[in-house]
Amino acid sequence: EAPTETPTETPAETPTEAPTATPTEAPTEAPTGAPTEPGCVPQPTAAADGPRLPGQPSPTAYPTCAPPPTPRPVSVAPTSQPSFAPTVEPTDEPSPSPSEKPTAQPTPQPSDHPTLHPTYSQHPTPKPSNNPTAAPGAFTIQLVNMGTISDYDVQIQHAKERWERIIVEDMPDYTPDNWESYDWFLGAFDDDPPFRQETVDDIVIGYVFEEMDGTSGTLAEAGPRKYLITETGRRSVSGMMRFDIADFNADRLTGDNAEIVITHEMGHCLGAIDVYSLCGPGQGNAIDGCTDAYCCLRAREEYADLGFTGAQLDMPATKHWAEASFNFAEEDLDELMTPYFVSGSYQPLSVVTVGALEDSGFTALAYDQADPITESGRRALREQRDRLPVLRAEGNFSLDGRIKYTTPVRVHYTVAPDGNLRLHD
C-alpha cells in the first residue's frame, strides 16, 4: 500500500507495513554541535522540509538529550586568590598578591644578604651541649715517616684520626725563616737528607720504627720538639716519635697494643699530659692556691663530672695520669694516658685528657668525640660505624715516661699580613 497523505491524529492499533514518510532528499540543517552525553540515546529528528507528526518540533542542530555545554570563559584580569596548581603558560602580569608558599624554583637573582651559616636540620637542637662541637677536620696532623718501615701505617692513621676528632681548632700556618735549612725536629732523626718543608699546618710529627734496645726494653720515645707561647697557652709546632721495631715485631705488641702505644705517644707530641708543666702547683695555668699534683681547672672538672667520688686526679712526674685515679672504677678500666697497661683493660681517650688539652691552651675541642668509660657507653660507640672502638690492651706493658728529648725549644713568631705565623728561631 502507499503511505497516507496526511497522518491520523490517533495512531493505528497496528503499525503500518511501510514507513509513514519518505526520507528527505537532503540532510538536516547542520550536524550535531557536540557529542551526546554518556548514556543518552538521542531520537532522530525529521528533516526541515519533510512531514512531521502533530506537535513535533522543528529539526535542531544539537541532539535532543541535553543542551550543548557552555564553554568556560577565560579571565583576562588576574585572579584574587592563587590557584592550587601552576599555570601551563606564564602570565604576562604578576599576581596581585604573593602566594602563601614559596616557589619550588630558586630565584633568578641572589638575595642581598647571603646566609651566614647553612642549616643542617629542619628542627632546632632541643638542648645545646655543654661543649659545642667545631667542624671536624679543622685541625691537621701532618705525619712524616722518617724511616723505611711502613708496616704500622694503619695504626698510625688511626691514631691521627682519634686526635683530629678531638682537636678541631684550625691554627694559622707556620712558615719559618730560611725554610730551606730549617730543622723541624731538632736533630731527633738521623735523616739524610733532612726533612725540609716551607709551611706546616697545624703540627708536623716525624716518626720512625727502628732498632732501639731489643725486646722487653723501651717501647717508644716521644715528645714535642718546637712550641709557641700563645695567649691561651703553649702549642706544639713539631714533634717526634720513635718506636722499637723489635718490640713491635714481637708478640707483645700485636692487635690493639700497637695502636695504644702509637696513640699514646702522639698525645705527648700534642701536649698531653702537661708536657710543659703548665698545671703543676704555682705554674702558668694552675688554680691559685692549689697544691695537688695537677692544678688546672678543666681536667679536674671533667674528672669530677665522671662521678669518681673519693678519688683524686693525680699526675706523677712522668707526665701521665696516675693509675689509681682511674683503675678503681671498674675492674677492666684504665685511661689512654696512664703509664701502665694490663691485659684486658680498656684504654679510653677520656674527657679528662681532653680537658687537659684545654688546660694547655687549645680553645676548640670536641668533648663528645672522647671515648666513653662505661660498658654501656662502649656498646653504644660500637654501633657508630664512623667511630673507632675503644682500645683494649691485649698484654701487659708500660710506657714509663722516659723521653730522650725532654726539652722542647720555644719558637718566637710574628703575625704575617695574611694572618699566618712567621717563625724566628
Side-chain angles (χ1 to χ4, degrees):
E1 298 178 357
T4 57
E5 296 180 356
T6 58
T8 59
E9 295 183 358
T10 58
E13 293 181 358
T14 58
T16 58
E17 296 179 358
T20 58
T22 58
T24 58
E25 298 179 357
T28 57
E29 295 178 354
T32 301
T36 58
E37 295 181 353
C40 174
V41 181
Q43 300 299 321
T45 59
D49 55 352
R52 297 189 301 273
L53 294 174
Q56 182 181 3
S58 60
T60 59
Y62 295 92
T64 58
C65 293
T70 304
R72 299 178 63 183
V74 178
S75 62
V76 178
T79 58
S80 58
Q81 297 295 329
S83 61
F84 292 99
T87 56
V88 178
E89 295 295 336
T91 57
D92 295 332
E93 298 296 332
S95 58
S97 60
S99 60
E100 296 178 359
K101 296 182 179 180
T103 58
Q105 298 297 323
T107 56
Q109 297 297 327
S111 60
D112 294 334
H113 302 285
T115 304
L116 297 179
H117 300 284
T119 56
Y120 297 97
S121 175
Q122 296 180 353
H123 305 285
T125 304
K127 182 181 179 181
S129 61
N130 294 329
N131 301 286
T133 303
F139 187 81
T140 302
I141 301 173
Q142 179 185 352
L143 295 168
V144 182
N145 189 343
M146 302 299 292
T148 59
I149 297 174
S150 58
D151 296 349
Y152 298 92
D153 281 358
V154 171
Q155 290 85 349
I156 289 283
Q157 289 300 316
H158 283 177
K160 166 186 165 72
E161 178 182 339
R162 290 179 189 274
W163 288 111
E164 286 182 343
R165 282 179 173 268
I166 297 294
I167 304 173
V168 290
E169 179 180 1
D170 187 22
M171 293 291 293
D173 294 349
Y174 312 124
T175 301
D177 293 334
N178 302 317
W179 68 268
E180 295 90 345
S181 59
Y182 194 79
D183 186 0
W184 289 95
F185 305 124
L186 294 176
F189 305 103
D190 297 328
D191 51 333
D192 185 20
F195 171 73
R196 298 287 185 260
Q197 183 167 298
E198 182 176 3
T199 301
V200 165
D201 177 37
D202 292 288
I203 183 175
V204 57
I205 299 175
Y207 68 94
V208 65
F209 291 87
E210 62 185 3
E211 294 285 348
M212 292 175 62
D213 58 4
T215 59
S216 302
T218 301
L219 298 180
E221 298 173 340
R225 299 306 297 126
K226 295 188 177 185
Y227 70 92
L228 306 174
I229 295 181
T230 68
E231 295 179 353
T232 58
R234 303 182 185 183
R235 306 290 183 83
S236 298
V237 173
S238 62
M240 58 77 58
M241 300 186 298
R242 296 179 66 227
F243 304 101
D244 193 335
I245 191 59
D247 287 309
F248 274 74
N249 285 343
D251 291 340
R252 62 185 305 214
L253 286 183
T254 58
D256 277 3
N257 290 348
E259 193 166 330
I260 288 171
V261 173
I262 293 170
T263 308
H264 177 105
E265 300 300 347
M266 193 176 295
H268 281 312
C269 292
L270 295 167
I273 302 293
D274 190 34
V275 294
Y276 304 121
S277 299
L278 289 173
C279 294
Q283 297 300 318
N285 288 1
I287 303 170
D288 292 340
C290 175
T291 59
D292 297 334
Y294 189 87
C295 288
C296 282
L297 179 63
R298 288 297 296 120
R300 290 166 63 100
E301 288 179 336
E302 294 296 334
Y303 185 79
D305 288 345
L306 292 177
F308 292 165
T309 58
Q312 179 181 348
L313 181 61
D314 196 10
M315 183 193 68
T318 56
K319 311 304 180 186
H320 297 91
W321 299 128
E323 296 291 340
S325 296
F326 290 93
N327 61 12
F328 73 93
E330 290 183 13
E331 183 178 353
D332 59 352
L333 177 67
D334 209 327
E335 215 275 351
L336 179 67
M337 297 310 296
T338 57
Y340 300 102
F341 303 87
V342 178
S343 180
S345 61
Y346 287 97
Q347 308 296 323
L349 198 172
S350 74
V351 291
V352 182
T353 294
V354 180
L357 290 174
E358 185 173 349
D359 287 334
S360 70
F362 285 101
T363 59
L365 295 155
Y367 281 80
D368 62 343
Q369 296 297 308
D371 292 334
I373 65 167
T374 62
E375 175 57 31
S376 60
R378 290 191 290 267
R379 285 197 303 268
L381 184 65
R382 284 193 288 269
E383 297 177 359
Q384 302 181 33
R385 297 184 179 181
D386 63 332
R387 290 283 301 274
L388 295 171
V390 179
L391 295 169
R392 191 175 191 179
E394 301 178 12
N396 300 328
F397 56 95
S398 67
L399 299 167
D400 59 8
R402 290 178 295 173
I403 301 177
K404 178 179 179 181
Y405 304 99
T406 56
T407 307
V409 172
R410 177 184 176 183
V411 178
H412 298 273
Y413 65 90
T414 56
V415 180
D418 59 0
N420 293 321
L421 305 184
R422 193 78 181 182
L423 305 183
H424 317 291
D425 282 1

